[in-house]
Amino acid sequence: MINTAIIAGMVTQLVISLFVPIGLLLYFRKKKWLSWKPFGIGVLIFVLFSQVLEKALHVVMIDPSGTSLKWTDSVALFVLYATLAAGIFEEVGRYIGFRWMLKKHRDYKDGLSFGLGHGGIEAILIGVLGAVNAIVLASLIQSGAFDKMIAPTLPKEQAELIKEHILHTSFMMYVLGGLERLFAISFHIAMSLLVLLGVRERKFRYVIYAILLHALVDTAPALYQARVVTNVWLIEAVIFLFAVAAFLFTRRMKETFEGGGEG
């Protein structure tokens, strides 16, 4: 039997990951901060650069275990690769979006909208779909259909690993999964504004700053993935601090953009 609290955690992750982006979208629209084209380009850039191009490179570079590179067991090189890959693909993608696809969208609201599109679709693809997948698997395990229909089609170890994950992931882990999507949206909005500022000011160094900051924020999750750090609360605390800093940066950027310069 699957603990009711675990199911509640899955649903909580789904609700946070789905309704926070929707709520922000409605709030931005009410505040007249929503610009639909940058929002859509933000979605497109995330899907293309993160989910297609970056993942294609991961297939070549990362071992199927997901904890090391194919050609070396070096944790340092794995973390360096994982963090820089995310930073380069996503921030260069943002730069391309603003530089060539949004030539007439260089205002504060355009940066906000791009970041919301970028972070919002990430929340849906990772948080919502991940929760839905977990709920479906939990239902199959609960009914016995998983053992009868799914497990025989998988390697024994993989089937056992899936069941172990579903049966023993705690309520709070799912809640943290949802909250992490919220933290990520805050960060994506801030980085979108930073890259947009670089485009406006014609200073590519801001894109470099965004790449390095993105790599820095991804260092903690990469260390967790490599099993160097095992305390998930510590990881989420680090991500939370970055999210707060990103939120404060976003507020400060309003004056910079409306003032027409760096401020």
Side-chain angles (χ1 to χ4, degrees):
M1 294 290 290
I2 296 179
N3 193 309
T4 304
I6 294 176
I7 301 296
M10 297 173 184
V11 173
T12 301
Q13 176 180 315
L14 188 155
V15 169
I16 294 173
S17 301
L18 178 61
F19 288 104
V20 166
I22 291 175
L24 286 172
L25 182 70
L26 295 174
Y27 179 72
F28 281 16
R29 185 178 181 184
K30 181 179 179 180
K31 298 286 288 185
K32 301 187 185 303
W33 289 343
L34 183 62
S35 184
W36 284 109
K37 185 175 181 180
F39 177 85
I41 296 298
V43 171
L44 175 65
I45 291 297
F46 176 79
V47 172
L48 177 59
F49 281 81
S50 175
Q51 300 301 290
V52 177
L53 298 178
E54 184 184 347
K55 286 190 181 300
L57 183 61
H58 289 343
V59 170
V60 176
M61 298 292 291
I62 297 180
D63 184 80
S65 67
T67 60
S68 66
L69 297 174
K70 287 184 176 180
W71 43 275
T72 177
D73 292 328
S74 170
V75 172
L77 288 177
F78 171 76
V79 171
L80 183 65
Y81 164 77
T83 56
L84 285 178
I88 291 171
F89 275 101
E90 293 191 46
E91 303 312 328
V92 170
R94 273 190 249 269
Y95 175 76
I96 290 172
F98 282 122
R99 178 69 177 82
W100 286 287
M101 303 171 74
L102 295 167
K103 293 183 178 181
K104 296 181 179 180
H105 295 80
R106 303 286 169 82
D107 295 331
Y108 180 71
K109 70 175 184 177
D110 299 317
L112 291 180
S113 299
F114 189 107
L116 180 59
H118 193 112
I121 192 63
E122 181 184 52
I124 291 171
L125 293 178
I126 296 176
V128 174
L129 295 186
V132 169
N133 183 59
I135 291 169
V136 170
L137 286 171
S139 176
L140 291 172
I141 292 171
Q142 185 86 337
S143 67
F146 181 87
D147 290 329
K148 294 177 182 178
M149 300 170 57
I150 307 298
T153 67
L154 300 172
K156 184 178 179 181
E157 290 184 359
Q158 184 179 354
E160 290 177 352
L161 188 63
I162 291 173
K163 286 188 69 173
E164 179 77 13
H165 175 76
I166 296 298
L167 291 170
H168 298 291
T169 299
S170 68
F171 170 83
M172 281 308 303
M173 286 296 292
Y174 285 110
V175 174
L176 285 175
L179 291 176
E180 188 175 311
R181 295 305 98 218
L182 172 60
F183 302 158
I185 290 174
S186 176
F187 184 77
H188 284 309
I189 290 174
M191 292 304 97
S192 295
L193 287 168
L194 180 57
V195 171
L196 177 55
L197 183 63
V199 172
R200 276 177 43 132
E201 299 289 328
R202 297 185 179 182
K203 295 177 179 177
F204 191 76
R205 70 172 184 267
Y206 289 122
V207 181
I208 302 298
Y209 297 159
I211 290 172
L212 295 176
L213 285 169
H214 200 132
L216 185 61
V217 75
D218 277 352
T219 298
L223 289 171
Y224 183 79
Q225 186 176 346
R227 298 171 186 168
V228 174
V229 179
T230 57
N231 188 331
V232 70
W233 292 97
L234 176 61
I235 301 301
E236 296 302 329
V238 170
I239 296 173
F240 170 72
L241 291 176
F242 272 100
V244 171
F247 175 75
L248 296 175
F249 175 83
T250 296
R251 292 188 62 181
R252 182 176 180 183
M253 281 296 99
K254 189 173 189 296
E255 296 179 5
T256 298
F257 275 83
E258 292 180 350
E262 291 185 56

